Amino acid sequence: MDFGLVLQTDPPASRVVSLMKRAERNGFRYGWTFDSAVLWQEPFVIYSQILANTQKLHIGPMVTNPGTRTWEVTASTFATLNDMYGNRTVCGIGRGDSAMRVAGRKPNTLARLGEAIDVIRDLAEGREAEVDGNPLRLPWVQDGKLPVWMAAYGPKALALAGEKADGFILQLADPYLTEWMVGSVRQAAERAGRDPDALTICVAAPAYVGEDLAHARDQCRWFGGMVGNHVADLVGRYGEHSGMVPDALTEYIKAREGYDYSHHGRAGNPSADFVPDEIVDRFCLLGPPEAHIEKLRVLRDLGVDQFAVYDMHDAQEATIDAYGEHVIPALRT
C-alpha cells in the first residue's frame, strides 16, 4: 500500500513544502493539496517548490475541477511540471465543491467532467484534443504522462470514474462504503471494456494518532461536515432511501443545517457540529498506531492501493512521524 499526505495550501507556502519534505522522509510517496483559489493559495505554484525540494514524491490536487481553469491551461500546467521534474504529477479531479460554490457557481456536470478528463489527459500527454470545437495540441510535450484520478460518491459519478479515469479517489475510510463504492467503480470499468484491476484505488481521510479519542474526534469532525456537502447533493438528487446510495452514507446528515465554507476542512469547524462520533470513527482513522494498521489492512484487502492522510489538525508533524515509524512499515511488509 502506498501513502499520501493531503494539505491545504495555507500561507506560508514554505510550511506546506516543509511538511511535504517531512512526508517523503517518512516514506510517503504522494503529496496532495486542496485546490480552491479563493480559500487557499494557488497550489500549482507551490507544487513547483515541492517537486524541487523532493526526489520521488508525486504531487497533485485533491481535487481540481473543470470549471476554475480552462482545460488547456490545466493540461499545460501539469505538462510543464512533468517536463521540469520527470512525470511526477497526478491530476485528481471532481465536479468541484468549495472552488465552485465559494465563487458563486454550481459544481460542474458529470458530462463536462467526463469530457475534461479525456481532454486534459490527452493534451498533457502530447496528443491532440478538441477544446470548444477547436483541435489543440501542446507541440512541446515529449513523453508526457498524466494519470487522472476522479473523486466520486454517487452512482453516476462512480460509473463515470470506472469508464474514464485512471484512478478512483474515495474521500472516506469506512470499510463497508469502500467495498460498495470500489465495487461499483470496477463494475463500470468492466462494462466499458476496461481492465477493472488497472484502476488505482485511493482512499483519503483524516488520521490522528494518539490515545485521547475524544480529542482526536474533535480534531477530525470537520471531515464529516465536508463529506456531508456531497451527501446532501446526492440526497437532493436521488432522495432518501432510494437504493441508489447506501443509507449508511445518508442517515447522518439529517441534522445538517447549512455549511460555512470559511471553515472548510478545518478543525473546529462549527458547521460540522451535527456529525456524531460514530461517523467520525467510521470515516477517519483514530487511536494508537495499532488501530490505524488494523483498519488499513482491511482497506488494503478491499483493493485500496493508497491511503492519503488528511493532515489538517493540531498534530501534523506527529502524525507524519508516527506513520513513518509505525504504520507505513507495517503496511509495506
Side-chain angles (χ1 to χ4, degrees):
M1 177 180 273
D2 283 330
F3 287 83
L5 182 73
V6 189
L7 299 173
Q8 294 170 336
T9 51
D10 289 314
S14 58
R15 175 163 171 77
V16 178
V17 176
S18 176
L19 289 170
M20 290 297 186
K21 290 168 62 178
R22 191 184 196 109
E24 185 177 59
R25 290 196 304 269
N26 276 280
F28 288 78
R29 292 192 60 229
Y30 287 79
W32 304 93
T33 74
F34 282 41
D35 178 17
S36 190
V38 175
L39 296 178
W40 302 289
Q41 293 184 328
E42 172 55 39
F44 286 94
V45 176
I46 301 171
Y47 292 162
S48 191
Q49 285 296 303
I50 296 171
L51 289 163
N53 283 277
T54 57
Q55 284 70 54
K56 297 182 179 180
L57 201 68
H58 287 67
I59 295 297
M62 190 175 280
V63 293
T64 193
N65 72 86
T68 52
R69 299 177 184 84
T70 59
W71 301 349
E72 69 272 18
V73 169
T74 298
S76 181
T77 304
F78 277 113
T80 300
L81 291 171
N82 283 337
D83 186 64
M84 293 172 69
Y85 300 106
N87 287 339
R88 288 168 54 199
T89 67
V90 181
C91 177
I93 195 167
R95 294 178 61 226
D97 179 29
S98 63
M100 298 296 288
R101 287 178 164 130
V102 167
R105 307 183 185 105
K106 293 181 180 180
N108 298 271
T109 64
L110 288 175
R112 180 174 172 81
L113 175 57
E115 185 180 356
I117 288 172
D118 289 336
V119 168
I120 291 168
R121 184 199 290 119
D122 283 345
L123 290 176
E125 295 186 347
R127 294 184 294 276
E128 183 178 287
E130 188 173 290
V131 180
D132 295 330
N134 300 307
L136 297 178
R137 188 175 70 85
L138 305 180
W140 48 267
V141 174
Q142 299 290 329
D143 301 318
K145 185 66 177 175
L146 182 66
V148 181
W149 298 4
M150 180 182 154
Y153 291 108
K156 292 181 180 179
L158 294 169
L160 180 63
E163 294 162 3
K164 296 275 189 180
D166 302 298
F168 166 49
I169 297 171
L170 173 58
Q171 291 161 310
L172 54 80
D174 176 71
Y176 170 77
L177 292 169
T178 297
E179 183 175 20
W180 184 84
M181 292 186 182
V182 169
S184 296
V185 169
R186 289 195 162 146
Q187 288 168 16
E190 191 168 15
R191 288 195 301 270
R194 307 179 70 201
D195 178 1
D197 294 326
L199 272 76
T200 301
I201 307 298
C202 174
V203 161
Y208 197 105
V209 181
E211 300 288 346
D212 188 344
L213 282 178
H215 180 73
R217 288 175 181 133
D218 286 342
Q219 287 292 302
C220 298
R221 198 175 307 276
W222 62 266
F223 184 67
M226 186 184 84
V227 173
N229 290 334
H230 303 287
V231 177
D233 285 346
L234 296 177
V235 171
R237 188 173 300 116
Y238 300 110
E240 291 186 47
H241 311 300
S242 63
M244 299 293 287
V245 183
D247 292 345
L249 185 59
T250 60
E251 282 293 317
Y252 83 98
I253 68 161
K254 289 181 177 179
R256 179 180 182 271
E257 296 179 0
Y259 191 82
D260 182 356
Y261 280 94
S262 65
H263 304 284
H264 188 59
R266 300 186 186 277
N269 183 348
S271 297
D273 289 349
F274 70 95
V275 180
D277 288 350
E278 177 193 359
I279 288 294
V280 182
D281 291 346
R282 290 180 63 172
F283 285 10
C284 305
L285 276 76
L286 313 173
E290 296 76 19
H292 293 245
I293 293 167
E294 180 181 1
K295 190 168 186 177
L296 286 168
R297 282 176 173 158
V298 172
L299 292 171
R300 183 185 61 186
D301 291 345
L302 293 174
V304 175
D305 300 297
Q306 180 185 152
F307 177 61
V309 176
Y310 276 104
D311 203 25
M312 280 76 77
H313 48 57
D314 65 1
Q316 289 182 302
E317 289 90 349
T319 297
I320 294 169
D321 293 347
Y323 263 67
E325 182 178 357
H326 302 290
V327 180
I328 293 176
L331 272 296
R332 287 265 170 88
T333 57

